[in-house]
Amino acid sequence: MPKENTRMPRDRRPGAGEKPKDFKKSMERLFKELSDFKRLILIACILAALGSILSIVAPNRLSNLTDEISKGLVVNTENITSITKEITDKVKEDNLKDKIVKILDVNIDEDVIKDIYTSNEINEEDKNLFKEILESHNFSSLNELPDSILSKILNTSYYDNIKITKEDKITLLKSSEKDLNIPESVQRIIFDDLTVDGIKISSKDQYEYLINLSSFSKDSKPEEIYKKIDEMPKSIQNVIKPKMNLNKIVGICIFLIILYLFSGLFSFLQAIIMANLSNGFANGLRKRISNKINKLPLKYFDKHLSGDILSRVTNDVDMIAQTMNQSLSSLVSSLTLFLGTLIMMMITNWIMALTAVGASLIGFFLMSLILKNSQKYFKQRQTELGNLNGHIEEIYSGLNVVKAYNGNEDADRKFDEYNLKVCESNKKSQFISGLMQPIMMFIGNLGYVCVCIVGALLTLNGNITFGVIVAFMIYVRLFTQPLSQIAQGLTSLQSAGAASERVFEFLDEKEMISEENTKALDKDKVKGDISFNHVSFTYDGNDKPTINDFSADIKAGQKIAIVGPTGAGKTTMVNLLMKFYEINSGDILIDGISTKNLTRENIHSLFTMVLQDTWLFDGTVKENVIFNREGVSDDIVHKVCEEVGVDHFIKTLPKGYDTVLKDNDSVSAGQRQLLTIARGMIESSPFLILDEATSNVDTRTEELTVKAMDKISKGKTSFIIAHRLSTIKNADLILVMDSGNIVEQGTHDELMEKNGFYANLYNSQFQK
Amino acid sequence: MIKLFNYLDKKDVSRIVICIMFVIGSVWLELKMPDFMSKITRLVQTEGSKMSDILINGGYMLLCAFGSLAFTIFTGYFGAVVSSDFSMKLKKAIFDKVEDFSMEEVKKFETNSLITRTTNDVTQVEMLIGMGLHLLIKAPIMAVWAITKILGKNLTWSFITLIAIVILLSVIGIIMKIVVPRFKKVQKLTDKLNGITRENLTGIRVVRAFNAEDYEEKKFNVINDELTDTILFNQKKFALFMPVMYLVMNGVTLAIYLTGAYLINGALLTDKLNIFSDMVVFSSYSIQVIMSFLMLAVIFMILPRAQVSASRINEVLDTEIKIKDGNFDKKTKEIGTVEFKNVSFKYPDADEYVIEDISFKVGKGQTVAFIGSTGSGKSTLINLIPRFYDVTDGEVLVDGINVKEYKLESLMNKIGYVPQKAVMFNGTVNYNVSYGKSNKKISKDKINEAIKIAQAEDFVLKLDKKYEIAQGGSNISGGQKQRLSIARAIAKDPEIYLFDDSFSALDYKTDSILRRELKKYTKDSTSLIVAQRIGTVMNADNIIVLDKGKCVGMGTHMDLYKSCEVYRQIALSQLSKEELENA
């Protein structure tokens, strides 16, 4: 049965797959990671192979079925010849003559002869004839006698207890070879019962058969013969008619149904196992990636885009899962199918096998030619599409500038150009990917016809049965199908290899150094002294140190400001304080204890940090403010928000504190920042870091917020990074940074007096 | 969906007609093949048939196969042409529409959503058309044709085929019914998972500072497990699909053969051979019928997704454009003036006004600054001049003429707009500075001068001559982008400058030098400046103080410092009393 096309069309464009850097290595790694699932994979593979083997066995059985059915088409020639011989033997001259003499039982007693001679009813001529016959003893010409004489010499008699009337005898005598007319009683004697294959053929039927047979000539067409056979008596028909072994047919059908059921069951089980396995594996991978994100040093994220990591979590893991789910088992079953079919074909008939393989090879040669050429179109399409989408993104996000500068025409021109290019490459790549399926179909048909023709040739020569052709019709399909699947499976295995390379590369990234010999500082007992001791720090890949031999003693409760132009390295100071980065040399001490001896977790718990990025997540206002802290009551949340000054705003939201925050909401940047400040103020810690925490808030609101924060941070050591110099004028220590160095430090007044970098920066606010 | 088909023109329609004809041709040939197949079967079966007959029929069958291949390839070609052209036209239509959108409409859809609608959604529809042209046309033709071929040949076999189709379709139907809603759920969960990961990544410093790693991971794992469970559920249901399909298809053949055996057995010798070849042919046709129903089922699986995309596209295309182009493009009597007459603005669905009853006039060469707290409506106000929004009440006059009367192009030619967020286009620095179309061509010297004034010379000179600015300006810093964005306005030599908080990314020093240079250069031009820094606005000829959309003060720095409470608060929050009074 043609099995082609039974796969659902997959939304996978061939040729779009990318290649891993090292296929073998990536596969080795992938399977190493899969070792937990080894047993399951093995079972799935065995099931897949079994399923394939069953589907190879099936056509063989099916060809048996066809053979059995076609037996019902062929007349039983053996029986025909044997019956014909038996029946014709019965009417062979020698035995028949004696039999007929006996049947006729001619009575030529003196009385009868006398009676004939004396009879007035018989004319002289006839009498003379009779006399001649008597004298010559030539009884074969008895039939020339008239009825009048015959009725005298023939009497009703019994032969083998069969009554033969006078009339029957006369009829028998009169019948000639040309006009055979044997009375029934005589038939019973001549054609004694004949039993062929357990079927009794009556004398009448035998006689009829004989008559029918005589009407055949050598030139009779099969159709005519079949027609004659259909007219023959039932008993004869039963003997010579095509015989179908219905029991055997039903048996094969039942066997096949069981086979199909098992094959279905195997593939179902295999699919279930693979689904469980691949999803379990994907789930684990995602978990590991998510866990890994929090274990990597921050410097990793300086060099890697978040989009890149994101695509590893979703796209790459999906790719691996999908390949495992679909390609792995289909690769195994396809390979089994391919090899199995090849072997089965070779065993069944090697000439036909070569035909099938040859026909398929021609097709695949064609296909590989097309595939080779198609690659560049797919790549081209990808590039052009990237250009177009990039342009669309650019224009849409800069729409106000486009409008204000009358850039529409320029945008349109570029758009049309890109759009046309996409369209052109789209046409080509779509056309080529559309070629695959019809070519596959054609290969199937080509193989089919070749097998039919060669098969017919062989059948005509009597080398094979029709069933073999039917089997090969299926083998051809079975043979071409896995080839394309193997090709597809290998491509997706390659993509999976590339994907797993990326995933494992990420999972193998060096994690933050583990912390040993640690002490812990109690958050509630920390005084708040911090001292920097000849701290130097260089970002990876930088030549110049960002922080160079920096020393400072900060007493508990002091307010430290870090100022300087953008990119001066202000945030680096914070990063070092929070131990986001490891310092290269020197030491930072909190209450006299080196941060090297403190866990990151411990340090983080000592600091409250509010950043410039207004980081809010998908959740309610309340969830965002509470974040990961446990046991925070609603009252505290309300109180903090009131202090920060967002309480009023939150209350105007549709669901108040339970409003879900989403991107692009009516929540402005300033309000977002206030919410993050509120988050920071939920829990009090000995240290406070404000990294441009109020840059999005207008200056009036900022002042209010800072005041609120000051209230809370009273007595706390605080670090403030700010753009607006007014905010930090009253700081206890101002660190002035420029292009990676701390160029000045001191109080506002000290620095103004110095009339250096800081003073210059400060005065520039008032220049006209 | 159907509405979108209006974008198919006559040429496309004729291509589709050709497509249909090719599909009919290929179906005809494909269905012709079993006829030859049965002929070959007969010939092989009957003794005494000639080899030449088999070869001829085999040749015909091969010819059919090849013809069908050719037809399918042609269909594929026209299908690719139609769907690609369609997608091109549709993209163009959406792009043109979005270009005409005002900020109000952009805000309604969100930029990202508009991008997705122009790219991904169009691709979805394009795919449906590409696939649909082939499958949607082929499946019904195939089904009907194949059915007529076998119809009336044998009632029992037809019944078997019918049952098989019913079983298959109901299995597909049930699986789809269960699985499709979960598909949407999978999409949602994937987005959520992405969201949480992105959250963790973008807020990595916050997460670590709060020791919230476990909190984030727990959140991630909840969604991760839910996603895995949902996908697994779907895949388990789908695992049923293939075995059932194979089982039904094989079952049909088996059933036809079995009943065929009984029929042959009971038939007259003359009919036996006919029934046999009928049986072989019927079983292959019945598979064709089943296949075509499967194809239809596949289309109905893709259809909903494309439908969603189509409706999203239609939403964009059906949006009425609020900003209508005027037709005034002549010379004006006044030059370089801007006047607001009782201007109010609110968003269509909002209750409260963003700007309420604002009136002022700026004369040629003057500088007006707007200051106010976050959300006071400063940016909105300035956006009314280039008609990014249209006023709700009152009127905005440029050079004495209502902005609504201007041809947009000539209005824009008067204006040099610098946005809050600098916009850079993929191209050279020169391209970016001389961007767009103005009344006169921007010369090379002009570009260099503009770059110099905008304090961008030092970093531009360091760049390679052919230096291309990447998309969105991702390869230059925020401050550099802002300076180039200012240079762009300068190069245009407009009558009126609009600075929408355009100096915020610059440090004070650059800010003040830039403004000094600018002042020198734009002596004759009118400037409207929105700013947060007192330092930026204090030298303006006129300062307008906004609070909650209303004008609460107007005048010079000293006037306002003395008279306007809001202004004084803002000023004092930035500079000390002495500094302000001495300025």
Side-chain angles (χ1 to χ4, degrees), chain A residues 1 6 230 279 283 291 293 296 394 403-405 410 412 426 448 575 601 604 617 700 726 762, chain B residues 37 99 101 119 126 199 205 208 211 217 228 235 245 253 270 417 426 431 492 569 573-574 579:
Chain A
M1 271 38 13
T6 44
D230 279 337
N279 286 304
N283 183 290
N291 183 269
I293 289 175
L296 285 172
E394 190 175 281
K403 278 171 181 258
Y405 288 82
D410 185 62
D412 279 349
N426 213 9
Y448 189 94
N575 288 339
E601 202 182 329
H604 295 165
F617 55 85
R700 267 172 74 211
S726 54
Y762 190 81
Chain B
M37 252 164 66
E99 268 188 324
F101 273 6
T119 52
E126 177 199 320
E199 232 169 71
R205 296 208 301 160
R208 293 200 180 170
N211 285 329
E217 263 172 58
T228 308
Q235 285 183 352
M245 206 167 68
T253 319
T270 354
Y417 169 75
N426 188 4
Y431 171 75
K492 200 177 166 184
Q569 273 182 21
S573 71
Q574 293 182 21
E579 287 158 354

Side-chain angles (χ1 to χ4, degrees), chain A residues 101 104 106-108 113 116-117 122 124-147 149-150 153-154 173-174:
Chain A
V101 170
L104 290 178
V106 182
N107 190 353
I108 36 175
I113 298 169
I116 292 170
Y117 285 144
I122 302 160
E124 281 308 303
E125 212 176 309
D126 291 343
K127 283 176 186 173
N128 285 337
L129 190 63
F130 178 61
K131 205 174 170 185
E132 257 174 56
I133 291 168
L134 274 182
E135 282 163 3
S136 66
H137 283 275
N138 183 5
F139 291 107
S140 60
S141 39
L142 266 178
N143 54 351
E144 287 166 24
L145 290 171
D147 284 5
I149 295 176
L150 288 175
I153 59 167
L154 297 172
L173 264 178
K174 294 272 165 154

Side-chain angles (χ1 to χ4, degrees), chain A residues 449 452-454 456-457, chain B residues 40 43 50-62:
Chain A
V449 171
C452 277
I453 289 173
V454 175
L457 259 173
Chain B
I40 296 171
L43 286 169
K50 284 178 209 142
M51 193 57 219
S52 61
D53 287 342
I54 295 178
L55 277 179
I56 287 168
N57 280 304
Y60 278 139
M61 189 181 155
L62 216 54

Side-chain angles (χ1 to χ4, degrees), chain A residues 1 5-6 8 69-70 72-73 226 230 242 244 246 250 253 256-257 260 264 267-268 271 275-276 279 283 286-287 290-291 293-294 296 298 301 310 314 325 389-390 393-394 396 399-401 403-406 408-412 414-416 419 423 426-427 430-431 435 438 442 448-449 453 456-457 466 571 575 578 580 601 604 611 615 617-618 627-629 664 691 698-700 723 726 729 760 762 764-768, chain B residues 37 41 44-45 51 54 58 61 66 69 73 80 83-85 88 92 95 98-99 101 110 114-115 118-119 126 193-194 199-205 208-213 215 217 219-221 224-225 228 231-232 235 239-241 243 245-247 249-250 253-254 258 261 264-265 269-270 272 291 298 373-374 388 409 412-413 417 425-426 431 436-437 471 488-489 492 508-509 512 516 566 569-570 573-576 579:
Chain A
M1 271 38 13
N5 274 341
T6 44
M8 288 295 211
I69 295 176
S70 56
L73 303 177
Y226 288 154
D230 279 337
M244 204 186 276
L246 277 175
V250 172
C253 281
L256 274 172
I257 287 174
Y260 290 145
S267 67
F268 177 67
N276 269 319
N279 286 304
N283 183 290
R286 281 195 288 261
K287 230 174 243 175
S290 160
N291 183 269
I293 289 175
N294 291 323
L296 285 172
L298 268 189
F301 301 98
L310 266 178
T314 49
N325 195 11
N389 290 354
E393 203 178 324
E394 190 175 281
Y396 282 10
L399 198 58
N400 49 0
V401 173
K403 278 171 181 258
Y405 288 82
N406 290 323
N408 296 39
E409 267 174 48
D410 185 62
D412 279 349
K414 270 194 182 165
F415 180 86
D416 289 342
N419 202 4
C423 182
N426 213 9
K427 273 179 205 169
Q430 254 194 30
F431 173 60
L435 280 182
F442 180 71
Y448 189 94
V449 171
I453 289 173
L457 259 173
F466 181 67
T571 306
N575 288 339
M578 293 292 279
F580 286 151
E601 202 182 329
H604 295 165
L611 294 175
W615 184 74
F617 55 85
D618 200 4
F627 199 33
N628 63 329
R629 271 73 56 98
N664 261 26
D691 186 355
D698 66 276
T699 45
R700 267 172 74 211
H723 230 122
S726 54
K729 252 171 23 193
N760 196 3
Y762 190 81
S764 66
Q765 292 183 82
F766 317 106
Q767 274 166 16
K768 292 191 182 178
Chain B
M37 252 164 66
T41 320
V44 174
Q45 280 285 23
M51 193 57 219
I54 295 178
M61 189 181 155
F66 190 76
L69 172 72
I73 288 176
S83 66
S84 301
D85 277 355
M88 182 171 86
K92 174 76 180 155
F95 186 77
V98 173
E99 268 188 324
F101 273 6
E110 293 176 19
L114 282 174
I115 294 169
T118 322
T119 52
E126 177 199 320
L193 199 72
N194 262 332
E199 232 169 71
N200 197 353
L201 287 170
T202 52
I204 192 130
R205 296 208 301 160
R208 293 200 180 170
F210 281 83
N211 285 329
E213 289 96 334
Y215 176 82
E217 263 172 58
K219 234 172 22 173
F220 180 90
N221 284 340
N224 187 14
D225 288 344
T228 308
I231 295 178
L232 199 56
Q235 285 183 352
L240 209 62
F241 186 69
M245 206 167 68
Y246 275 115
L247 212 58
M249 293 247 228
N250 287 324
T253 319
L254 216 54
L258 190 62
I264 290 172
N265 201 30
L269 195 54
T270 354
K272 278 179 200 277
M291 283 312 305
V298 169
S373 53
T374 323
F388 291 155
E409 198 183 319
M412 297 306 186
N413 276 336
Y417 169 75
F425 300 99
N426 188 4
Y431 171 75
K437 190 181 144 201
Q471 195 203 324
R488 180 187 293 151
K492 200 177 166 184
Y508 284 105
K509 220 168 149 181
S512 67
R516 201 190 317 132
V566 177
Q569 273 182 21
I570 295 170
S573 71
Q574 293 182 21
L575 300 169
S576 71
E579 287 158 354

Side-chain angles (χ1 to χ4, degrees), chain B residues 166-183:
Chain B
V166 170
I167 291 176
L168 268 187
L169 289 186
S170 37
V171 167
I172 293 176
I174 291 168
I175 291 180
M176 280 291 129
K177 181 110 192 175
I178 299 172
V179 163
V180 164
R182 285 186 172 77
F183 271 153

Side-chain angles (χ1 to χ4, degrees), chain B residues 256-467:
Chain B
I256 288 175
Y257 272 44
L258 190 62
T259 47
Y262 277 100
L263 286 173
I264 290 172
N265 201 30
L268 290 175
L269 195 54
T270 354
D271 299 331
K272 278 179 200 277
L273 204 54
N274 285 328
I275 297 176
F276 182 77
S277 59
D278 273 359
M279 180 183 81
V280 174
V281 173
F282 198 105
S283 68
S284 67
Y285 276 133
S286 69
I287 296 289
Q288 300 269 37
V289 173
I290 294 172
M291 283 312 305
S292 38
F293 273 97
L294 273 180
M295 277 197 275
L296 278 178
V298 169
I299 293 172
F300 284 109
M301 275 155 68
I302 329 169
L303 201 62
R305 221 197 296 170
Q307 198 106 44
V308 171
S309 290
S311 67
R312 281 161 55 87
I313 292 169
N314 276 326
E315 265 171 38
V316 175
L317 291 175
D318 292 346
T319 304
E320 206 190 321
I321 294 205
K322 293 247 175 62
I323 309 280
K324 300 236 162 48
D325 207 355
N327 46 27
F328 182 86
D329 57 354
K330 293 176 206 75
K331 276 225 167 115
T332 48
K333 276 185 204 154
E334 293 178 35
I335 279 178
T337 67
V338 175
E339 187 176 5
F340 274 53
K341 280 185 181 165
N342 306 95
V343 170
S344 295
F345 174 79
K346 67 171 182 182
Y347 290 106
D349 305 324
D351 296 330
E352 279 199 29
Y353 281 97
V354 182
I355 291 172
E356 213 174 334
D357 199 27
I358 303 278
S359 298
F360 65 87
K361 183 164 181 176
V362 194
K364 186 171 185 280
Q366 276 189 320
T367 301
V368 176
F370 302 87
I371 197 159
S373 53
T374 323
S376 60
K378 303 171 297 226
S379 280
T380 315
L381 186 143
I382 220 169
N383 279 335
L384 292 172
I385 300 167
R387 291 189 75 195
F388 291 155
Y389 302 101
D390 266 350
V391 294
T392 316
D393 292 309
E395 50 185 353
V396 177
L397 308 172
V398 168
D399 291 350
I401 305 224
N402 192 325
V403 285
K404 288 185 186 174
E405 283 170 32
Y406 278 104
K407 240 176 129 68
L408 278 172
E409 198 183 319
S410 47
L411 174 67
M412 297 306 186
N413 276 336
K414 293 174 183 289
I415 296 168
Y417 169 75
V418 186
Q420 202 166 5
K421 211 177 132 231
V423 173
M424 286 293 123
F425 300 99
N426 188 4
T428 60
V429 171
N430 282 352
Y431 171 75
N432 268 289
V433 174
S434 64
Y435 183 78
K437 190 181 144 201
S438 50
N439 347 12
K440 46 194 180 288
K441 206 173 162 335
I442 296 167
S443 69
K444 191 97 193 159
D445 292 342
K446 189 89 215 170
I447 293 170
N448 290 337
E449 197 187 352
I451 289 174
K452 207 168 173 179
I453 295 164
Q455 302 303 304
E457 199 177 23
D458 49 340
F459 87 86
V460 168
L461 283 177
K462 274 185 211 155
L463 300 176
D464 193 331
K465 247 197 178 154
K466 284 193 178 130
Y467 190 80

